[in-house]
Amino acid sequence: MSAVRSVRLDTWTVRAVGGPYPQSLAHVTVPATVPGSVHTDLMAAGLLADPYLDENEKQQSWVGLTDWVYDARFDWQPGADRAELVFEGLDTIATVLVNGVVVAQTRNMHRRYRIDVSAVVRPGPNDLQVRFAAPIPAADLASVELGYRPHVNHHPYNAIRKMACSFGWDWGPDLATSGMWKPASLQTWSTARIVTSRPVAALEGSTGVVDLVVEVDRADANAELEVLVSSGMATATAIVASGSSRAVLRLEIPAVARWWPAGLGDQTLYDIVVSLRVAGDEIDSRTHRVGFRSVRLEQDEDDFGRSFRILVNETPISVRGANWIPDDAFPHRVDRERYRHRLEQALFGRINLLRVWGGGIYESEDFYDLCDEMGILTWQDFLTTCAAYAEDELWSEFEAEARDNVTRLAPHPSLIMLNGTNESIWGHEDWRWKPRLDGRTWGYRLYHELFPQIVAELAPHVLYTPGSPFSPDGSAHPNDPAQGTVHVWDVWNELDYTAYRSKTARFVSEFGWQAPPTMSTLTESIHDRPLTPESPGMLLHQKALDGNVKLIDGLAPHLRVPDEIGDWHWATSLNQAAAITVGIERFRALPECAGTVVWQLNDCWPVTSWAAVDGYGRPKPLLYAMRHAHANRLLTFQGAGELHLVAVNDTSTPWNETVTLSRRRFDGEELASAVVELSVAAFSKLWVPLDEEVAVAEDSAGEYVRARSEEGTARWFFAEYRDSDLRAGTLKTEMQRVGDRYRLTLRSEHLVRDVCLLVDQVDPDAVASDMLVTLDPGASATIEFTSARDISYEQLTASSVLRSANDLVDRS
Ligand code: BMA
């Protein structure tokens, strides 16, 4: 009797064996990493240029048209009852051979495979080979075998179970790769092993109850097995009688501390150890880290339609979220530290929920562990997006991947929502699919039958919604603003961002506005001479339909369209921040709206996109705009026509305060003032109408309304930036440096809007403490950062580095 022994298989080679690969690769064998991909292996060998640079992506389509073979060797000695190969991620259409014998054929990147090779291994060295069929032709072939079904973008990503965005997306490169993107290992064991161990943590009063289902595989059908579960504070045991393969246990931990989202309490986590034993000896084990929290979705009929409100521990959560995409087009490169950094950036943006979008991956343990620790709520889409799916033919794959991933992710207390599909229900309704499908299946039963059944069985403590967007009343339009979730995309695609001000919603799970990456990311990845918004590299790194035209059409109403690249970059970056500020503040102010999830937090490569953090991990001004607009207690001016001050209190205590309101000139003169005694209950919003004296301008180009409180300042401008009397050159600055800490003090006698220190232009690693700082006349502010570099005052205050809206507006 021996414990499960696991040996990582991480020494591999890869070679091209079929397809249009270059002559220079014929008979070339390259060292390969597992986890890895052919792209990254070829790059490491100096045989492929970095696809993220310039127009390289365009030259590399052959990689996805090529068949690849990975080879490895492993040692095996008799002794254990079973030998199994475990592949945690095979991307995608793969044939596995041991000593020349086919042992498995796989076709799903999103599930784990365990292959019994006991009958084919031999003592000593064994040959292991994994052959990957070229993904693009495989998807093309599958799409005609399954029958045409609508999808967005160019390749039929919906025909095979491979990450949809690896075929290209409206922010992602078309770099369909192959490889083992998660670890591979050889496991040997005797008697029995744990197949799955599934804890469901719940609260009964103050007692933490963990219901655990443990399933075992047996090499010995008769052995009597014991399962022991322990949390340190409580233990439970169960016998798995001979012939049986399942144990059900309950652990009761008295007086547990709850797990809370960040800002509402601590993130207490409990370790649970599961041990499988035979005659007292441990032969296998698992550990879980669970948290005790309740979650409930309230969808009640009310004056506005039907609510969509998430309650955690019976506390209503005002969701201030962002959508999450794979952080790299080659996801295996995202290690725990990178996840941590990105999630810290999310917290900096005061984000309390991340939605893992359905065109990427079921996120990693690292991602979910860190969200548990940091108190970031998570919502995971099942991996279907913007397409019709051949549900019958792919049913078994969907079922296997859903079971696998729900089992893996459900123990994480941060996971509160599983969602059937991204936009496919909407697409079926609105994107002219019905005539194209001509009666073919499109995925309905996945979203309404398969996925909800699996969630009910394996993760009853996690919410389920069939789609995003989705309306619970079947007869309603899926993107009905009176119920369920909505995606607000017409604002970016067709309208102006001021259109957010007339939108309503119960919960906005997507809305976004584009801007280029930071300047340092842009110039590190694109070397066009001249670099212009339409130079070749820039065009390739803009994937959205008519993206550049929409950027300009969305800019022109607010700021003149600059020709110089630095001004263009700053103006479009500012415009993105301004647009999303208007959107977030509008939706947060709406009494009936319980959540905003901005599209999108991150990028997977350097690209012009809707992201707040660019593809090299640098924050755009948008991240700072989100931080401001996501304040726990927010003052904002709202209302077309009649101006209101709105106070949003997303804290558990009442907000009572005297707020000073004034109408002022840009040179500081106060024209009218008023005082508001604010009293806003916990977790609620208050609309205060304003007197005309304060709310109506005499000279709209040179006046604004200001509301000041202990919690922050809100400002309302009567005119667009471009029509305002904003003056350039009034900023007085002073730089202080102590060691590697820099501090820039700003002062102005005249109003300066949206000061940004674009510090990445003097040190690509430096991060400013704040951006989009507006200085009232006579006021001062400081911006800090650290840098190992020697930066002069002149460099820091150069007109391309220290920017404000004023310098795009003032033409004098
Ligand atoms: C929605 C998303 C993504 C897309 C984004 C921007 O459709 O779900 O598919 O990238 O809008 O267009």
Side-chain angles (χ1 to χ4, degrees):
M1 194 176 327
S2 64
V4 175
R5 217 174 138 248
S6 185
V7 180
R8 274 277 183 110
L9 303 171
D10 48 16
T11 309
W12 295 77
T13 58
V14 63
R15 63 202 151 92
V17 291
Y21 59 85
Q23 254 308 305
S24 55
L25 278 185
H27 316 295
V28 173
T29 299
V30 174
T33 70
V34 175
S37 69
V38 284
H39 282 86
T40 46
D41 291 337
L42 293 173
M43 275 190 267
L47 297 167
L48 193 76
D50 183 345
Y52 292 1
L53 302 183
D54 298 306
E55 292 189 280
N56 292 346
E57 177 209 356
K58 241 171 74 178
Q59 324 297 332
Q60 299 182 359
S61 55
W62 59 270
V63 182
L65 298 168
T66 296
D67 301 319
W68 299 93
V69 167
Y70 280 76
D71 284 294
R73 291 199 128 186
F74 64 86
D75 242 44
W76 177 83
Q77 297 299 338
D81 294 344
R82 291 271 179 86
E84 291 171 341
L85 290 170
V86 179
F87 294 100
E88 289 177 42
L90 291 167
D91 179 13
T92 288
I93 310 292
T95 305
V96 183
L97 298 94
V98 173
N99 301 325
V101 179
V102 174
V103 292
Q105 279 180 317
T106 75
R107 52 174 190 147
N108 191 339
M109 169 183 174
H110 305 300
R111 55 184 281 210
R112 293 179 277 200
Y113 291 96
R114 175 177 286 269
I115 306 160
D116 186 353
V117 292
S118 312
V120 287
V121 281
R122 47 190 188 221
N126 288 257
D127 292 326
L128 174 59
Q129 188 169 82
V130 184
R131 299 181 184 164
F132 289 99
I136 304 272
D140 289 341
L141 188 65
S143 76
V144 292
E145 280 172 4
L146 297 170
Y148 164 77
R149 280 176 177 77
H151 56 85
V152 295
N153 306 321
H154 36 292
H155 300 296
Y157 61 83
N158 50 338
I160 64 171
R161 298 305 300 144
K162 177 172 169 62
M163 177 169 92
C165 66
S166 69
F167 293 95
W169 209 259
D170 61 0
W171 36 256
D174 183 352
L175 295 170
T177 197
S178 293
M180 283 162 266
W181 70 294
K182 290 190 172 191
S185 57
L186 175 74
Q187 291 190 4
T188 49
W189 55 277
S190 295
T191 315
R193 69 171 186 90
I194 297 172
V195 180
T196 59
S197 159
R198 219 166 8 87
V200 171
L203 281 155
E204 281 179 11
S206 64
T207 303
V209 177
V210 182
D211 282 313
L212 193 92
V213 178
V214 180
E215 286 177 50
V216 299
D217 191 6
R218 289 169 168 278
D220 175 349
N222 298 319
E224 188 179 275
L225 309 169
E226 187 191 18
V227 179
L228 191 129
V229 194
S230 159
S231 74
M233 285 155 265
T235 53
T237 56
I239 300 295
V240 189
S242 78
S244 159
S245 59
R246 194 181 157 96
V248 179
L249 300 97
R250 170 169 273 222
L251 206 58
E252 292 187 1
I253 311 173
V256 288
R258 284 167 191 244
W259 182 92
W260 285 95
L264 293 173
D266 292 337
Q267 289 76 52
T268 310
L269 297 163
Y270 292 81
D271 286 323
I272 302 231
V273 183
V274 182
S275 169
L276 180 68
R277 298 176 179 199
V278 175
D281 290 333
E282 179 170 287
I283 54 171
D284 201 359
S285 66
R286 290 282 184 283
T287 53
H288 304 284
R289 222 173 37 158
V290 301
F292 297 95
R293 52 94 183 125
S294 67
V295 63
R296 185 161 70 83
L297 179 63
E298 187 190 88
Q299 296 197 84
D300 296 343
E301 280 187 28
D302 60 18
D303 294 345
F304 303 95
R306 224 169 147 172
S307 65
F308 189 97
R309 186 178 298 278
I310 295 168
L311 293 97
V312 174
N313 297 331
E314 288 303 310
T315 303
I317 305 295
S318 296
V319 169
R320 289 164 270 163
N323 283 276
W324 172 275
I325 64 166
D327 205 56
D328 198 305
F330 308 111
H332 71 273
R333 294 202 289 201
V334 190
D335 61 14
R336 196 172 176 99
E337 279 323 297
R338 183 153 147 196
Y339 276 115
R340 187 189 299 281
H341 182 219
R342 203 67 69 245
L343 295 172
E344 279 167 357
Q345 290 174 314
L347 283 183
F348 178 85
R350 298 201 174 110
I351 283 163
N352 63 7
L353 177 142
L354 289 171
R355 168 179 174 233
V356 181
W357 169 76
I361 57 176
Y362 297 101
E363 265 302 342
S364 67
E365 295 307 302
D366 287 333
F367 174 88
Y368 280 99
D369 279 350
L370 292 166
C371 287
D372 291 347
E373 287 171 16
M374 294 181 179
I376 301 175
L377 297 169
T378 54
W379 152 339
Q380 170 78 55
D381 286 3
F382 285 99
L383 300 185
T384 63
T385 184
C386 304
Y389 288 84
E391 59 192 47
D392 295 331
E393 297 83 346
L394 296 174
W395 190 271
S396 61
E397 289 302 332
F398 276 115
E399 174 162 11
E401 74 179 60
R403 286 186 170 281
D404 198 354
N405 287 288
V406 172
T407 301
R408 181 171 67 86
L409 301 180
H412 292 277
S414 61
L415 180 69
I416 54 157
M417 175 84 86
L418 286 156
N419 167 47
T421 185
N422 176 66
E423 295 193 347
S424 305
I425 297 173
W426 186 15
H428 180 254
E429 201 52 44
D430 272 5
W431 300 352
R432 302 190 306 279
W433 290 4
K434 289 175 190 170
R436 297 188 210 158
L437 282 166
D438 203 11
R440 281 183 177 152
T441 56
W442 59 277
Y444 179 90
R445 287 177 55 233
L446 298 175
Y447 317 132
H448 293 281
E449 214 177 283
L450 180 64
F451 296 153
Q453 274 169 11
I454 288 174
V455 176
E457 180 193 332
L458 303 178
H461 57 305
V462 180
L463 302 172
Y464 177 77
T465 180
S468 182
F470 181 74
S471 292
D473 297 341
S475 56
H477 188 277
N479 209 28
D480 179 358
Q483 57 178 311
T485 49
V486 287
H487 290 189
V488 179
W489 278 115
D490 56 351
V491 176
W492 156 254
N493 284 317
E494 298 150 39
L495 310 169
D496 178 59
Y497 70 68
T498 48
Y500 286 129
R501 294 206 174 104
S502 45
K503 291 280 174 190
T504 60
R506 310 316 305 264
F507 191 105
V508 191
S509 40
E510 281 187 16
F511 64 112
W513 201 272
Q514 273 207 348
T518 60
M519 189 53 105
S520 51
T521 294
L522 204 65
T523 52
E524 277 169 32
S525 57
I526 302 172
H527 303 91
D528 294 344
R529 293 283 177 275
L531 183 70
T532 82
E534 296 176 326
S535 57
M538 291 289 283
L539 286 184
L540 194 80
H541 292 243
Q542 161 61 282
K543 299 291 188 186
L545 188 69
D546 292 332
N548 273 5
V549 173
K550 289 174 187 169
L551 267 183
I552 295 309
D553 283 350
L555 179 65
H558 309 284
L559 289 159
R560 288 178 205 99
V561 179
D563 288 310
E564 194 274 321
I565 188 77
D567 286 344
W568 175 88
H569 177 267
W570 164 232
T572 48
S573 303
L574 171 62
N575 203 49
Q576 177 190 42
I580 296 305
T581 300
V582 171
I584 294 176
E585 293 194 0
R586 164 69 182 179
F587 294 124
R588 285 193 70 195
L590 283 178
E592 71 272 29
C593 183
T596 57
V597 188
V598 173
W599 185 268
Q600 69 211 63
L601 177 71
N602 57 337
D603 263 332
C604 65
W605 76 314
V607 67
T608 294
S609 85
W610 300 265
V613 175
D614 75 25
Y616 287 161
R618 299 188 179 114
K620 300 190 202 178
L622 173 59
L623 187 69
Y624 297 82
M626 289 167 76
R627 178 174 172 80
H628 300 159
H630 283 161
N632 266 330
R633 286 180 170 169
L634 176 76
L635 287 180
T636 172
F637 288 103
Q638 296 290 324
E642 247 182 72
L643 199 60
H644 287 71
L645 175 69
V646 182
V648 181
N649 181 15
D650 279 341
T651 70
S652 55
T653 51
W655 179 9
N656 300 319
E657 206 192 325
T658 309
V659 174
T660 336
L661 276 160
S662 55
R663 182 161 55 85
R664 322 176 72 83
R665 293 180 48 80
F666 289 179
D667 63 8
E669 191 187 334
E670 189 178 279
L671 302 169
S673 72
V675 161
V676 173
E677 295 298 338
L678 210 61
S679 176
V680 195
F683 302 114
S684 55
K685 318 175 183 189
L686 184 74
W687 285 57
V688 183
L690 301 187
D691 289 344
E692 261 192 26
E693 228 208 329
V694 168
V696 179
E698 290 152 48
D699 163 24
S700 59
E703 296 174 16
Y704 67 112
V705 184
R706 189 180 77 185
R708 261 191 162 176
S709 80
E710 290 291 311
E711 304 282 347
T713 303
R715 298 181 186 84
W716 173 261
F717 294 92
F718 297 100
E720 292 297 342
Y721 289 102
R722 59 177 297 159
D723 304 323
S724 301
D725 294 335
L726 292 167
R727 285 205 230 142
T730 66
L731 212 53
K732 306 268 178 298
T733 49
E734 199 185 298
M735 185 180 102
Q736 282 171 296
R737 180 184 174 184
V738 181
D740 62 355
R741 280 208 74 80
Y742 288 78
R743 166 187 289 201
L744 190 68
T745 305
L746 312 164
R747 237 179 230 104
S748 175
E749 295 311 316
H750 199 271
L751 178 86
V752 184
R753 292 185 65 185
D754 303 305
V755 179
C756 280
L757 181 67
L758 301 176
V759 68
D760 68 291
Q761 295 187 28
V762 288
D763 177 357
D765 295 328
V767 178
S769 57
D770 201 0
M771 283 199 193
L772 304 163
V773 176
T774 288
L775 289 170
D776 291 310
S780 68
T782 56
I783 298 173
E784 296 179 339
F785 64 93
T786 57
S787 172
R789 296 194 179 183
D790 268 324
I791 301 169
S792 69
Y793 172 77
E794 286 68 32
Q795 283 175 302
L796 203 59
T797 54
S799 60
S800 58
V801 178
L802 182 62
R803 309 240 38 171
S804 71
N806 297 41
D807 57 62
L808 293 168
V809 171
D810 187 356
R811 296 176 126 189
S812 59

